[in-house]
Amino acid sequence: MAWSFPIGVVRGTVLRVHVTFLLFLLWIGGAHYAQGGWDAALEGIVFIVLLFACVLLHEFGHVAAASRYGVRTPDITLLPIGGVARLESIPEQPAQELVIALAGPAVNVAIAAALYLIVGFPAAGIEVQNAGVGMLERLAAVNLFLALFNLIPAFPMDGGRVLRALLAYRMGYARGTQAAATVGQAVAFGLGLLGLFGNPILLFIALFVYLGAASEAHAVQMRAVSRGMLVADAMITRFETLDPTAHVADAADCLIRTTQREFPVVDGGGTLRGVLTRDDMIRALRDTGPETPVIDVMRREIPLVGERQCLEDALSLLRDGTLPAIGVVNAAGRLVGVVTPENIGEMMMIQTARPNPSTDGPWRRGTTP
Ligand SMILES: [Zn+2]
């Protein structure tokens, strides 16, 4: 996810923190300081660390449920409204998605129940902002809030996935996602209205929910279109390559002559050695000059896929948005094409503009009737 950075690895799952989560922490710390000085700020920070742990446990609830179905989780990103566990693949069985989506909020309910067993159940409603209420009690209340909030039926919340899974039983995955995304955007609109006339934080959440719904619908549409296609169907086959002995000045010539922005560096045997991006090229021109060997500034960790592999394999590699391109090789290992995020975007435009886009059919393939 863009605007996030890694903070650690747990059992092969990379923990990432989104910038907005840190802003949220700063905001909480600042608000406490303004209310009661450093003591309050310290208490606020301890509370936040505990809250942070609860959000992580929530995400590991998803991870544990997913691993039951053999689905790995490459990373978890923490956001102000919770976290997002990025599953390697989305289970096609609605029942599995339902269990995975509910596992997170269930963890918060369990934490809240355990805390209430320790501190005793409250006689009346809890005022979360009141510093006089014990920290554990506040933590319990916040966990209940997290569980309820995450069950709002809108992507990217767990409730959106629950809704999609329930709809997918009846209308299939792609149409279920569309319907769930529409419900989610209506919810976002409602939250936005509430935000306008009440708590401005709701406006922020509404924007987030709106974007989440749109991006989930887009991702599912993309997967639906790419199903049944091979890498060879979508790859770029006409492109300029650079020799490993080339200099950045040669690459700059190529940049002017072509519309390409990513240049594969290919040796005499047809093996991809790396990819030089336009940005890296410009940076090298500025920092080390036109005589810099391209091999020194190219991106080396470019994954390869076979031309007969499913397009979905290439899409899942491009999903986190950090790769400039993927190399496509034939059976002999020679580079025969490249796939870039831009050309995938073009393919999507073409596929969705066709009179009968196959947005539904392929998704019924793995699901039980
Ligand atoms: Zn969750």
Side-chain angles (χ1 to χ4, degrees):
M1 191 175 282
W3 290 94
S4 66
F5 48 89
I7 55 165
V9 184
V10 178
R11 284 189 175 185
T13 298
V14 181
L15 301 178
R16 304 181 72 89
V17 170
H18 198 262
V19 171
T20 51
F21 188 83
L22 295 182
L23 291 177
F24 177 66
L25 297 190
L26 279 176
W27 176 71
I28 295 270
H32 277 82
Y33 178 75
Q35 269 186 0
W38 289 112
D39 279 357
L42 181 69
E43 196 196 303
I45 287 165
V46 169
F47 183 71
I48 288 159
V49 170
L50 290 173
L51 178 60
F52 186 87
C54 291
V55 170
L56 269 183
L57 286 172
H58 168 114
E59 292 313 316
F60 277 106
H62 293 306
V63 172
S67 72
R68 263 192 58 193
Y69 303 119
V71 177
R72 284 184 58 254
T73 313
D75 59 45
I76 291 174
T77 306
L78 286 169
L79 300 156
I81 61 165
V84 177
R86 188 167 61 94
L87 303 182
E88 198 170 49
S89 59
I90 308 284
E92 291 181 22
Q93 307 281 351
Q96 294 186 357
E97 181 169 42
L98 198 59
V99 169
I100 294 171
L102 288 173
V107 167
N108 294 116
V109 171
I111 293 172
L115 288 172
Y116 280 135
L117 280 179
I118 295 169
V119 300
F121 286 87
I126 290 183
E127 180 59 55
V128 177
Q129 293 290 326
N130 186 347
V133 182
M135 187 176 283
L136 292 182
E137 249 173 87
R138 279 196 295 151
L139 200 61
V142 168
N143 270 285
L144 279 187
F145 171 79
L146 279 178
L148 287 176
F149 186 81
N150 274 288
L151 287 173
I152 291 175
F155 295 115
M157 257 76 82
D158 299 324
R161 285 168 214 293
V162 170
L163 179 64
R164 189 243 306 270
L166 294 176
L167 291 172
Y169 275 116
R170 295 191 139 246
M171 45 174 86
Y173 199 85
R175 281 180 55 213
T177 301
Q178 282 301 340
T182 306
V183 171
Q185 291 187 326
V187 169
F189 188 74
L191 285 174
L193 270 186
L194 282 176
L196 276 181
F197 299 112
N199 194 334
I201 294 170
L202 284 177
L203 266 181
F204 172 71
I205 293 170
L207 180 71
F208 199 83
V209 168
Y210 189 87
L211 295 177
S215 92
E216 181 69 22
H218 177 77
V220 167
Q221 189 188 32
M222 194 141 148
R223 283 199 297 269
V225 167
S226 67
R227 277 271 170 117
M229 290 179 79
L230 299 177
V231 173
D233 298 330
M235 68 187 183
I236 302 170
T237 52
R238 287 192 204 165
F239 52 89
E240 297 275 329
T241 62
L242 297 168
D243 194 80
T245 59
H247 297 279
V248 168
D250 309 320
D253 283 345
C254 269
L255 183 67
I256 300 293
R257 272 191 290 112
T258 69
T259 56
Q260 258 172 270
R261 285 191 290 179
E262 296 85 15
F263 296 90
V265 178
V266 180
D267 65 21
T271 306
L272 180 70
R273 303 284 296 273
V275 167
L276 183 70
T277 66
R278 185 180 62 177
D279 292 349
D280 290 341
M281 187 190 305
I282 299 300
R283 196 174 306 125
L285 272 178
R286 192 184 54 215
D287 297 346
T288 48
E291 292 307 307
T292 313
V294 294
I295 209 152
D296 288 350
V297 288
M298 68 185 188
R299 302 269 297 264
R300 288 168 186 273
E301 57 297 339
I302 302 297
L304 298 175
V305 293
E307 58 180 338
R308 308 299 298 165
Q309 254 174 279
C310 302
L311 183 56
E312 264 195 296
D313 297 345
L315 287 183
S316 64
L317 287 169
L318 284 172
R319 201 173 296 151
D320 72 348
T322 58
L323 286 171
I326 293 172
V328 183
V329 292
N330 63 12
R334 287 183 73 94
L335 186 77
V336 292
V338 285
V339 175
T340 67
E342 197 186 357
N343 102 282
I344 291 294
E346 287 167 352
M347 188 208 70
M348 286 297 300
M349 282 193 260
I350 292 166
Q351 292 293 326
T352 49
R354 288 196 167 158
N356 293 310
S358 57
T359 51
D360 193 44
W363 282 97
R364 295 189 180 275
R365 203 168 58 184
T367 55
T368 46

